[in-house]
Structure formats: C-alpha cells, structure tokens
Amino acid sequence: MHRPDVFAALLGLTRAGSKIGDFWVQDDFCARVKGASDNHPVTYEDPQTKEKTTHGTADGRRRACTTA
C-alpha cells in the first residue's frame, strides 16, 4: 500500500469512529457539555446528590484544570 492510501483509509476510519461515538455512544449530558460556552453554559444537577454544577464557563475550566 502507498502512503496516501493508508492515510485515506485511516482518515475514513477515524471519521467513522468519531461519528459513531458522537451519535451512538455518548449520552445527552456529554453532548450538551461539549457545546457549552461562556455565552451558553450548561447547568447539571446530580440526580443522587442534588448538587448543581455549571459547565462551559471560563471559571469552570480554570477550576477543572487546577483541581485535576
């Protein structure tokens, strides 16, 4: 196989894997948080603890990076 053929095959496989993950594997919460931003944050309430968290804000990203 030539390099362009390998590249095209791998590109097609990774794109297909991405679509499968986005539409069949990830849950609704992950999809909403992925699109969260400062202008459109996502608030989540844990069904067990009733704790509310806000995702997609600069402050939230800062806290996630410093506490990980």
Side-chain angles (χ1 to χ4, degrees), residues 2-58:
H2 297 287
R3 286 183 186 226
D5 296 335
V6 173
F7 175 77
L10 290 176
L11 180 63
L13 288 173
T14 56
R15 296 293 295 162
S18 174
K19 295 296 180 189
I20 290 169
D22 278 350
F23 293 106
W24 293 347
V25 177
Q26 79 179 357
D27 60 2
D28 183 56
F29 171 73
C30 289
R32 287 187 290 132
V33 169
K34 189 186 335 181
S37 67
D38 285 332
N39 294 334
H40 299 95
V42 173
T43 302
Y44 172 73
E45 181 177 335
D46 188 305
Q48 295 175 348
T49 64
K50 302 298 183 195
E51 179 184 355
K52 289 187 178 183
T53 55
T54 302
H55 303 272
T57 62

